[in-house]
Amino acid sequence: MKTFAIGGVHPPENKFAEKQPIEWLPPSGTVAIPISQHLGVPAKPVVTKGDKVRVGQLIARGEAFISAHIHASVSGTVSKIDSITDTSGYRRQAILIDVDGDDWMESIDRDQTLISDCSLDAPEIVKKVHEMGIVGLGGATFPSHVKLNVPQGKKASYLIINGVECEPCLTADHRIMLERGEEMLVGITIQMRALGVEKAIIGIENNKPDAITHLTELARKYPGITVEPLKVKYPQGAEKQLIKALVDREVPSGKLPIEVGCVVHNVGTSLAVYEAVQKNKPLIERVVTVTGVSVKKPSNFMVRLGTPVSALIEAAGGMPEDTGKVINGGPMMGKALNDLGAPVTKGTSGILLFTQEETPRLPELNCVRCAKCLTVCPMGLEPYLLAVLADKRRLEECEEERIMDCMECGSCLYICPSGRPLLDQIRVGKNLVGKMIRERSS
Amino acid sequence: MNEVINEITILSVVSLGAIGGVAAIILYLVAQKFKVIEDPRIDTVEELLPGANCGGCGLAGCRALAEAIVRAESLEGINCPPGGNAAMQDIAKAMGWEAGEQTPMIAVLRCSGSRESAPPKVRYEGAMTCAFAHSLFSGEAGCPYGCLGCGDCVRACAFDAMYMDHKTGLPVILDDKCVACGACVKACPRDIIEMRKKGKKDRRIFVSCINMEKGGVARKNCKVACIGCGKCVKECKFDAISLENFLAYIDYEKCTLCRKCPPVCPTNAIHELNFPPRKPKVEKEENKVEA
Amino acid sequence: MRLLTVSGSPHLHTDQSVSKIMYGVVFSLIPAMLVSFYFFGLAAILVTLTAVVSCMAFEFVIQKYLIKGPLTIFDGSAIITGVLLAFNVPANLPLGLVVIGSAVAIGMGKMTFGGLGKNPFNPALVGRVFMMISFPVQMTTYPEPTAFSTRLTDVVTGPTPLTLVKDGVSRGVGISELMPQLPEYTQLMMGNMGGSVGEVSAIALILGGLYMLFRRIISWHIPVAFLGSAAIFAGIFWLVDPQVYVDPVFHLFTGGLMLGALYMATDYATSPMSRWGMIIFGVGCGLLTIIIRLFGAYPEGVAFSILIMNAFVPLINRAFKPKRFGEEVKNG
């Protein structure tokens, strides 16, 4: 069975919500929709206080090349445009809407029947995806229309669909593949058409055998799409690692996957593309896993964007007494929340409630040079060295040691027996080196 | 026997002498070729500098500063925080130049969000470096401008002039040790530390807050935040206080240290340092008269 | 209510920790320990105990009174140093010398550099080599193995197989004539030969090594490179002249080669980080060991070769970086 070549770790999977069907969570109260839910330039609000909005209405325009439109996820009145603490840990601009009923735009086809025929050509698809504000739903929230637009002089030969879900605990993608498989496959054919590729490979780790058999069965009807089971190893869901595992090509340092003729999209994104192109539905909701050891009802919710995290926790049976940390995203790359009022955004794949005992930071000891960080680093870097160089602010050396290749998967910190905050220090180094490079080029 | 010894002696003397001679010539040629002509005054100036290599002047160290001084042939625009005026006067004397006055400066911490006045809402765990904590979240107390308390400034200080007060979670600057090198200012990811005029008798008045959020928001996180009410601006007769983005700032060039503004601040965000204690009664009367 | 914690990702951690790894190593040394207790009796137990206790005591004293830093004596690393030091000396070594050796190992070999992880040389080997040079007579008087004995004095001493060969060859006696004096290979593997406390039983050491490999405490690179290169290098000489150079199997199972390759060379702090670095390091150790054994003044060269290669570790770390992802562009 295939997997990527270097590094990787095996954290405990703990996929408690694996068997829980996706549940629709009705909107209520007030939702706060941040204007920056994607990678790139924040969108510009086009509504003002007091405006009535309907579900699916455009409320903020992403005007820059790397940006995305934002649509109202609920119907109601814009109560204010203010800064709220979002999942970034800081206060940032958001559009607050008081929910009133559930009044959808007429243009959106809310019928559940599958529409598999698509007559649009590539630029039309890209335009549609852009209009509907689709971004990568795997967590990086890179605007999808940019990815579907193959740059001049480049050619895509594979569309790779990421159904790996290598992060422990998360089950959102797994459920999408099981419940919305057919729609997702149509989404993939649409993406293939936009990219002009003949082949699409869905990579799924073999800890989801039901999804593998289900999709293999369905994919027979769709020419060019194959399902490839992968050996379980974190971080297989990272773009570069997934490409390496599936088609054995290595994306060069500092380059994008298109360099080796690949485009990677998440299964959730494919579903969103289907809904955007076939049903005219903007990205206004997503599947979020809410789970944890002591959570009463680990669940997968279909949530409107902007719903506060606390509402999700309530819906999953309330916050357990022993919660020590609330994480937005997966346990390996997610972000610990400092305010539970933070809203669900396009990048929220899960809300994890961990006890303090589950998420320990060991007391920091001397580095014993066990070289474990080096063995697990999927990018072949030397985390122990980068951490020291970054801490000493020896930035030129950091750059030489390819600190910018680090994708912050967290394998080094996960494995370190001395409890050294390797990734914390490397992140500081990455920030500073990035700044240095930008200053140099300007 | 003797002849043999003589022969050996002569041979070794001659051969070693020859080798030595050749080596000397090579050394001489190399020394000529790679000779670095250096102004001897650089050494003189360097000796008069403090030799801490703190980088406070903005150059790589004391040697670099000495080179810069000699190259510029003047002391204009040269700032050696630890050496201060005394060092500049010495150098000027040695070089036969005129030296301008240097205003003594000192680092000032513009945050009072201690554990008590800005109680933590979450707990931070991980690398004890502000640079990382800053990239992660707004801070334990929720103030995105406030001190993170991980001590990057304390580690940056080469003069032992700072320590972390573990009770308040804020760093403390020691007046008598701070040489205003500015290392802490650079180390702080939130620009909380400012270089300010040391002031007469070390007396200083400043707004101990840099929060630019609306008053209510700032106040929610911290009891001693500047809420931008503007009372101090009205109180100041010297036009030294400006209000921008809900934040008051006292211009130390214009401030006359009259002590009028600290009492009017509703959140006690304006700090006065090294003044004699106030007599509460007299203060009140004075205020009334002036009002 | 308890405050929520905020920290950078990842939010999970393995259940591995330094002390768990260290105690894992100690655990893996138990078979070798038992074999040595069987062959060398009470004396071996006493030497091991003394070394462990004095290593921990010296670490405690230095950390508490000299460095005044945090105490780490229970992280298991001092125990390993103690056990390995004891394994590297003859069982009948006076206990006073064991204490001196421990002082040098911990004081000079480890704490001078800042404690665990910062020492460039393997502490136990520093102690051993110090004693080897300072007390050559005591350090080379090896007791003959006997089934469990409680005698501490008047034990029968004899040469180790390596000394026998070295002396014999230097006197001009051929290997084939020496062979009858040497223990059989099965005996060598079991550990029924003269030697230091813990180095004699290859089987027990391999068992411990496999446990460490299984627990992923060590990787295979250093032991395989070390033993492999030693065997190949010794084999070349053996093929050239089997009368002067003894066969590679003999080399593998005698002296401290097994102990060195599995436990001393794989010491985290003093071995290279990258896999290729580890292999180069292992090969260097193997070559030097055989060179010292065949041509050096000492019959045994494992300790010296590892220490010499330890000195090269920073250079190896610089020269042999792990293979970076995306370095060679493959478009297949």
Side-chain angles (χ1 to χ4, degrees), chain A residues 241-260:
Chain A
Q241 272 59 35
L242 187 60
I243 294 172
K244 175 76 185 167
L246 286 174
V247 294
D248 195 27
R249 295 182 182 179
E250 276 187 25
V251 181
S253 164
K255 293 281 165 46
L256 293 170
I258 191 69
E259 203 72 22
V260 292

Side-chain angles (χ1 to χ4, degrees), chain B residues 214-228:
Chain B
K214 275 181 210 153
V217 178
R219 191 67 198 271
K220 218 163 115 190
N221 291 326
C222 177
K223 277 184 230 153
V224 293
C226 171
I227 53 172

Side-chain angles (χ1 to χ4, degrees), chain C residues 75-136:
Chain C
D75 68 6
S77 62
I79 300 178
I80 294 181
T81 305
V83 174
L84 288 181
L85 181 69
F87 274 20
N88 269 299
V89 299
N92 57 345
L93 191 73
L95 295 182
L97 294 186
V98 176
V99 175
I100 293 175
S102 308
V104 172
I106 291 293
M108 230 165 83
K110 184 177 171 191
M111 299 315 287
T112 330
F113 300 100
L116 181 63
K118 302 201 172 168
N119 47 312
F121 298 105
N122 188 319
L125 284 181
V126 170
R128 183 224 155 106
V129 166
F130 175 85
M131 287 200 287
M132 190 81 184
I133 294 166
S134 311
F135 315 104

Side-chain angles (χ1 to χ4, degrees), chain B residues 234-248:
Chain B
K234 273 180 225 147
E235 191 70 25
C236 184
K237 289 204 196 66
F238 306 95
D239 213 16
I241 308 181
S242 55
L243 191 68
E244 211 179 317
N245 295 327
F246 314 103
L247 176 66

Side-chain angles (χ1 to χ4, degrees), chain A residues 84 101 128 164 196 229 358:
Chain A
I84 53 134
K128 198 93 196 171
V164 171
E358 273 180 285

